[in-house]
Amino acid sequence: MEFWIDILILLVRCLVLALAATTLFAYFTLFERRLLGRFQNRIGPNRAGHIPLPGGKKLFGGFLQPAADAVKLFFKEDVIPEKADKWVYLIAPGFAVIPALIIWVGIPLGNWPDGQGSNWLHYAPIDVGILYLLAVTSVGVYGIAIAGWASNNKYSMIGGVRASAQVISYELALGLSILAVVMQNGTFRTEEIVAGQNIIWNIVPQFLAFVIFLVASTAEVVRSPFDLVEAEQELVGGYNTEYGSMKFALFFMSEYIKLVAMNAIAVALFLGGGNFPGIDTLVAAIRTSNGDTIAYAVQGALTLGAFLLKTTVLSFISVWVRASVPRVRYDQLMNLGWKILMPLALFNVVLTAVIGVIFPEGGLVIHIAMFVIGAVVIGITSVVAAPKRAKRSVTMVSNNASN
Amino acid sequence: MDLVIFSITAIIAIIGAVAMLVSRNAVHSALFLLLNLGAISVLFLLLQAPFLFAVQLIVYAGAIIVLFLFVVMLLGAERDEDGADPVRWQVPTAVVMAALLIGQVIYVFVTEPTATADSVNTNISEGFGSPTQIAQALFTTHLYHLKSPHSCCSLP
């Protein structure tokens, strides 16, 4: 009996997580469109739904826009191209969405102890949590690759091939940057990495890894400026050209959920996860006055809030980058991945290892020294490895020659 | 419960392997191989080896099959070529080899009762299969084998 109750609780929790991720996606699209509007000096969607305030003011204009989009996508015609490979064509969107959803179980979203040693906000505290995250991200490329192939369309196909090449290339830099964090904290468990950042967030000693992670994760989720997979000007729509209606919506959804998940991973690994100054003191004060249960609940809510706040900041940066940086060329993409990010990540692993051996105690000074080294290395790299333009020279031709 | 999950996963793995062999389309074959490898990674989980589960997914599912797909898609070589198989002896040879291998596996399974799943699950020590233990085994006990792959087949 107890077994079935456990299964039921698990199912409910999974449902809650899936719904939360989907809602997050819906509102991330609105967040992005409004921000892009601001960046491009226009307003953005503000018509669908508002909360009326006294005095004719409107609050949260456009907050129903995601619902309107969803309704529109549901009622579009659902086409399967005649020459498509039907089964592969149909499973491709699922292949894209499932990794994007299951990656969330490995991320500690906060710390809400249930009193028996586990945490409500961390679904799967497994031994090899980091490896799980890497495995699921790398499986995520299948959706795009097989969608491009199954559509039987040259543009889609090019998109799929580009996606697989790009994701394989950037996986290395991504994995190596995470490896340095694992070495820094000495564990593969994500919750222990978060707990280890109680005093100093990993972004200080692992600043280089953080920058590499941000760039590589943007490329890994094939988002602008690395969105060659769906470059409209060259490929119509890339891998999703032949997809319409909800099947397109699933691709759209997987892309955004993966983006937010990557930002959440960056928060957990580098920005201290649910840690925030003052939470511990507050929770300790509540524990003495109100008892354990309420203290746990408050701790859960606060850490989750801190986590979401940091994720929102990173998501804002993603939108900012999208609005500011033009798309890279394919050769630039490969150069950046193989010739710059991967050597940098390797250097960072070596640096972390050497410093970890020489100064096993760590300490604030060492952390700050590593931060400075990382920042200097990034500065030097961005100067040395910046794409060089061929020098243009103008030859003056004498006008008298023709006379 | 373990037995139920094992049976389902094993059946999926076998279906994936067989479908990979018989499908006429290289991309379908690669996808069925992916199914097979995924099922095997679940079997690793059942054997209390989460590290191998993750590594199986990262290396095989995440890299090797993607490369297969990439090459097949890039060359447009997914269709079987027309005409008879130019290497006629390869199918019978493969069947004989597979039969030999299955015979070996059954022999080991029957004569070595410690190889069954039950004994594995009851006899594990604390921290079995954790990254620490695997690293220790790889880099201390079996370092010699790791460094020189040709010696890994020599009997202990």
Side-chain angles (χ1 to χ4, degrees):
Chain A
M1 189 59 202
E2 204 158 280
F3 173 74
W4 293 108
I5 290 178
D6 282 351
I7 294 276
L8 191 69
I9 292 177
L10 193 66
L11 282 179
V12 171
R13 287 177 69 194
C14 289
L15 198 67
V16 168
L17 187 70
L19 285 179
T22 326
T23 317
L24 211 62
F25 146 71
Y27 278 91
F28 185 79
T29 57
L30 182 64
F31 176 74
E32 174 168 46
R33 290 174 69 184
R34 287 305 295 259
L35 278 177
L36 281 179
R38 288 289 169 203
F39 281 121
Q40 295 160 358
N41 204 7
R42 55 192 173 84
I43 296 173
N46 67 343
R47 295 297 150 130
H50 62 264
I51 298 171
L53 287 184
K57 295 235 178 178
K58 292 174 177 175
L59 191 64
F60 296 133
F63 79 97
L64 286 179
Q65 187 68 36
D69 285 341
V71 169
K72 183 196 80 172
L73 282 165
F74 264 116
F75 284 100
K76 286 223 172 174
E77 189 186 356
D78 194 15
V79 186
I80 299 177
E82 201 166 282
K83 297 280 182 180
D85 192 312
K86 194 173 168 211
W87 285 106
V88 182
Y89 178 83
L90 286 179
I91 60 169
F95 240 125
V97 164
I98 290 172
L101 286 178
I102 62 175
I103 197 169
W104 285 91
V105 301
I107 308 172
L109 303 171
N111 187 12
W112 185 335
D114 65 352
Q116 291 149 15
S118 39
N119 177 357
W120 285 114
L121 291 172
H122 189 194
Y123 280 64
I126 44 178
D127 231 9
V128 287
I130 294 288
L131 293 180
Y132 171 82
L133 296 180
L134 282 175
V136 176
T137 16
S138 59
V139 171
V141 66
Y142 282 106
I144 298 179
I146 65 177
W149 176 79
S151 303
N152 210 349
N153 172 335
K154 290 282 184 273
Y155 290 124
S156 306
M157 175 88 143
I158 295 173
V161 171
R162 280 185 180 184
S164 28
Q166 177 176 338
V167 171
I168 290 181
S169 310
Y170 278 81
E171 224 165 57
L172 288 165
L174 193 77
L176 285 172
S177 68
I178 293 182
L179 182 64
V181 175
V182 171
M183 288 162 72
Q184 180 80 32
N185 295 69
T187 173
F188 271 121
R189 303 183 78 104
T190 40
E191 71 271 25
E192 284 176 10
I193 290 182
V194 169
Q197 301 173 64
N198 200 8
I199 299 168
I200 299 178
W201 295 352
N202 269 342
I203 187 176
V204 178
Q206 292 295 335
F207 183 65
L208 189 54
F210 177 68
V211 174
I212 295 169
F213 184 91
L214 274 195
V215 177
S217 68
T218 312
E220 186 83 6
V221 298
V222 296
R223 193 184 152 77
S224 174
F226 303 108
D227 57 346
L228 293 108
V229 171
E230 44 199 284
E232 301 88 5
Q233 295 86 346
E234 310 157 21
L235 296 183
V236 189
Y239 65 92
N240 57 27
T241 308
E242 298 288 345
Y243 284 84
S245 182
M246 279 316 282
K247 295 203 288 295
F248 169 74
L250 286 181
F251 279 121
F252 197 52
M253 187 164 122
S254 73
E255 198 176 309
Y256 278 83
I257 295 181
K258 264 196 290 189
L259 172 70
V260 183
M262 275 298 186
N263 288 336
I265 293 173
V267 167
L269 295 186
F270 296 100
L271 297 180
N275 290 324
F276 209 77
I279 288 186
D280 287 347
T281 328
L282 189 64
V283 169
I286 290 175
R287 181 168 292 126
T288 46
S289 59
N290 297 67
D292 272 352
T293 321
I294 294 178
Y296 285 153
V298 170
Q299 188 185 2
L302 285 178
T303 47
L304 180 66
F307 189 89
L308 289 179
L309 181 70
K310 294 173 190 173
T311 312
T312 314
V313 171
L314 279 189
S315 303
F316 174 79
I317 293 177
S318 301
V319 178
W320 192 5
V321 167
R322 176 174 172 174
S324 327
V325 184
R327 182 182 301 134
V328 299
R329 259 188 353 244
Y330 199 75
D331 57 325
Q332 292 171 336
L333 176 87
M334 287 298 155
N335 277 346
L336 181 64
W338 288 103
K339 294 188 190 165
I340 299 176
L341 289 186
M342 207 175 81
L344 273 186
L346 278 174
F347 168 77
N348 189 43
V349 167
V350 172
L351 179 74
T352 314
V354 168
I355 290 196
V357 169
I358 299 179
F359 306 101
E361 301 299 320
L364 189 62
V365 181
I366 302 296
H367 287 335
I368 290 177
M370 284 181 77
F371 179 83
V372 172
I373 294 176
V376 168
V377 167
I378 290 171
I380 293 175
T381 315
S382 58
V383 172
V384 173
K388 298 193 177 44
R389 291 195 183 82
K391 282 222 174 76
R392 290 182 184 174
S393 58
V394 179
T395 320
M396 304 294 275
V397 180
S398 163
N399 213 7
N400 301 328
S402 58
N403 289 344
Chain B
M1 193 63 198
D2 271 7
L3 190 65
V4 177
I5 299 177
F6 170 78
S7 315
I8 297 172
T9 323
I11 290 170
I12 292 175
I14 292 172
I15 290 176
V18 172
M20 180 203 86
L21 286 176
V22 299
S23 68
R24 310 294 295 173
N25 188 317
V27 172
H28 293 176
S29 287
L31 290 176
F32 281 122
L33 184 58
L34 174 67
L35 181 69
N36 175 273
L37 294 172
I40 288 173
S41 71
V42 176
L43 291 184
F44 278 133
L45 266 191
L46 280 182
L47 291 172
Q48 319 278 330
F51 184 79
L52 286 183
F53 155 78
V55 168
Q56 166 97 0
L57 275 186
I58 293 175
V59 174
Y60 286 98
I64 291 187
I65 306 288
V66 176
L67 276 179
F68 281 1
L69 274 180
F70 178 74
V71 171
V72 170
M73 283 163 58
L74 192 70
L75 299 179
E78 62 264 24
R79 296 273 159 227
D80 216 357
E81 283 174 19
D82 294 332
D85 189 351
V87 196
R88 283 171 181 281
W89 47 268
Q90 71 178 355
V91 174
T93 318
V95 169
V96 171
M97 299 281 214
L100 273 178
L101 192 64
I102 288 180
Q104 252 182 351
V105 169
I106 291 175
Y107 176 75
V108 171
F109 198 71
V110 171
T111 54
E112 298 266 340
T114 52
T116 54
D118 283 341
S119 64
V120 169
N121 282 346
T122 47
N123 291 336
I124 57 165
S125 53
E126 179 69 21
F128 173 82
S130 67
T132 325
Q133 279 209 350
I134 287 181
Q136 255 170 9
L138 272 184
F139 294 110
T140 57
T141 324
H142 301 289
L143 184 61
Y144 177 66
H145 292 168
L146 190 73
K147 281 202 301 197
S148 50
H150 55 271
S151 68
C152 71
C153 305
S154 60
L155 290 170

